[in-house]
Amino acid sequence: MNCEFGLILPKGGIFLKNFLLLLTAAALLCGFVLCGCGAAERKDRKKGAALFSWSDDVFESENTKRLMENMDSWGVTVLFQAFPGKLKKEELRAFMAETAGRGITVYLLTGEPEWGLDPSGSDMAEEVERAAAYNRILPADAQLAGVLMDTEPYLTEEWDDDMESVMDSFVSGMREVRRAARGEGLELVGCIPYYYDTKGLEAQLSALIQEGCDGLAIMNYYKEGEAEHIKTEMRLANDADIPVTVVYELKAPGEHGLTEKNTYYAEGLEGVRKSVRAMEKYYGTGSFRYALHDYEAVKEAAGRE
């Protein structure tokens, strides 16, 4: 809504006074409507599920359509998708046109553990620039919404030596990258594990949420006490007024060191839905979005239902 007024001011003190009072009331009303729209938009960002996809073959025409059909059947409206470096322009345009036509919001999915060691965030900033470069060749109604930065510095050797210093570097880098993303009109979603606060890193976690991202994806990969595990993250995100995505793992135990306690491989999608309902009962409906990790694992889980 545009609040623009073409003014022809009446003459006379009392008339002018009354006119200005009416004008002020109209401006306030417009502000309330705009604030309401902003709140609605923030709430909308939590509707529907999200999906992580590292699969390169989804950019092939038939696979794109199959992905869209699967997402529709799973109730997914947000896609965190890895984009191969050698993606052709026509493939990019076709993929983004298809997602836009289906009402899917797409984020560039990327990240390497070592990127968190650089306080300048240069490698992460390059990925933001890559997303911006994609958007420059895409129509306005079919562009990337942002970048999901899946940087996991706790997987580096340096973390074992001095996790506090590594976390400081990571937060510093994310601050810089957020500035770069905002300059390009992109959202930056930070992806984190559920346990930073239990490692004595709550101060850095708070700084990351307050200053280093526009949205938070929490890999809540531990099935016992799921709601309690992310109380700190949910509180900090609420204070920062940024949306939260709770990520559910569906890969098989044994992959990437996963155990049965970390993944819903055995319980499948129905097990995830049951957990989401319990989490919503704890935190309130609409307090978070949930995400499925990842596309290949979810296809397998869905095939078993």
Side-chain angles (χ1 to χ4, degrees):
M1 178 182 295
N2 292 322
C3 299
E4 297 178 358
F5 303 92
L7 300 182
I8 301 176
L9 293 176
K11 296 179 181 179
I14 188 66
F15 295 106
L16 179 59
K17 182 178 179 181
N18 289 339
F19 180 80
L20 290 176
L21 286 172
L22 287 171
L23 179 61
T24 301
L28 288 172
L29 177 61
C30 183
F32 292 146
V33 171
L34 286 174
C35 289
C37 289
E41 287 170 1
R42 285 194 297 273
K43 188 175 181 180
D44 284 346
R45 285 188 290 176
K46 297 173 184 176
K47 290 182 179 178
L51 175 69
F52 281 70
S53 170
W54 300 95
S55 305
D56 289 350
D57 64 0
V58 298
F59 294 96
E60 298 172 11
S61 178
E62 288 302 313
N63 291 336
T64 299
K65 292 178 181 178
R66 192 171 297 113
L67 170 65
M68 297 298 103
E69 291 167 0
N70 285 333
M71 290 176 66
D72 183 62
S73 68
W74 302 333
V76 170
T77 60
V78 174
L79 178 63
F80 302 127
Q81 175 65 50
F83 286 68
K86 295 182 179 180
L87 187 64
K88 296 177 181 178
K89 289 182 181 180
E90 55 269 26
E91 292 175 325
L92 171 66
R93 291 186 177 119
F95 182 82
M96 293 302 295
E98 185 71 26
T99 57
R102 303 270 187 151
I104 302 297
T105 303
V106 185
Y107 292 77
L108 172 70
L109 171 61
T110 186
E112 294 290 343
E114 292 75 19
W115 295 355
L117 303 177
D118 179 7
S120 73
S122 59
D123 288 318
M124 294 188 288
E126 287 182 8
E127 292 298 279
V128 168
E129 171 53 33
R130 181 159 72 102
Y134 287 157
N135 277 353
R136 284 192 283 271
I137 62 173
L138 291 168
D141 61 350
Q143 294 187 341
L144 291 167
V147 177
L148 186 140
M149 197 63 68
D150 185 16
T151 302
E152 303 177 39
Y154 49 87
L155 297 179
T156 65
E157 293 181 1
E158 288 82 353
W159 180 269
D160 296 330
D161 296 330
D162 190 349
M163 72 174 69
E164 188 168 349
S165 293
V166 171
M167 192 67 177
D168 287 339
S169 294
F170 174 48
V171 173
S172 173
M174 287 291 285
R175 283 196 192 100
E176 296 300 318
V177 176
R178 189 190 193 193
R179 292 191 189 100
R182 287 189 165 184
E184 298 289 355
L186 294 164
E187 295 179 36
L188 179 65
V189 181
C191 193
I192 64 169
Y194 66 87
Y195 53 73
Y196 278 147
D197 57 321
T198 68
K199 302 289 186 181
L201 300 170
E202 185 170 341
Q204 290 91 336
L205 176 63
S206 177
L208 175 65
I209 293 172
Q210 289 282 345
E211 305 165 15
C213 57
D214 303 302
L216 191 66
I218 309 170
M219 296 179 285
N220 198 21
Y221 297 169
Y222 200 84
K223 290 186 290 188
E224 296 177 4
E226 286 174 315
E228 290 80 3
H229 279 157
I230 62 171
K231 286 176 69 174
T232 300
E233 291 80 3
M234 291 292 287
R235 172 177 56 81
L236 292 171
N238 185 63
D239 290 345
D241 193 27
I242 63 173
V244 172
T245 300
V246 179
V247 189
Y248 286 83
E249 181 64 83
L250 284 105
K251 286 183 175 294
E255 293 187 44
H256 306 288
L258 294 169
T259 69
E260 290 184 359
K261 289 184 178 181
N262 306 133
T263 176
Y264 277 83
Y265 177 83
E267 296 87 347
L269 292 175
E270 184 50 42
V272 170
R273 297 183 191 108
K274 182 178 179 180
S275 171
V276 170
R277 289 192 292 269
M279 292 276 284
E280 287 184 330
K281 186 175 181 180
Y282 190 94
Y283 285 110
T285 301
S287 57
F288 65 92
R289 180 197 302 282
Y290 75 94
L292 306 169
H293 188 277
D294 62 3
Y295 181 42
E296 299 302 325
V298 179
K299 281 196 295 184
E300 181 181 346
R304 296 196 303 270
E305 290 190 339

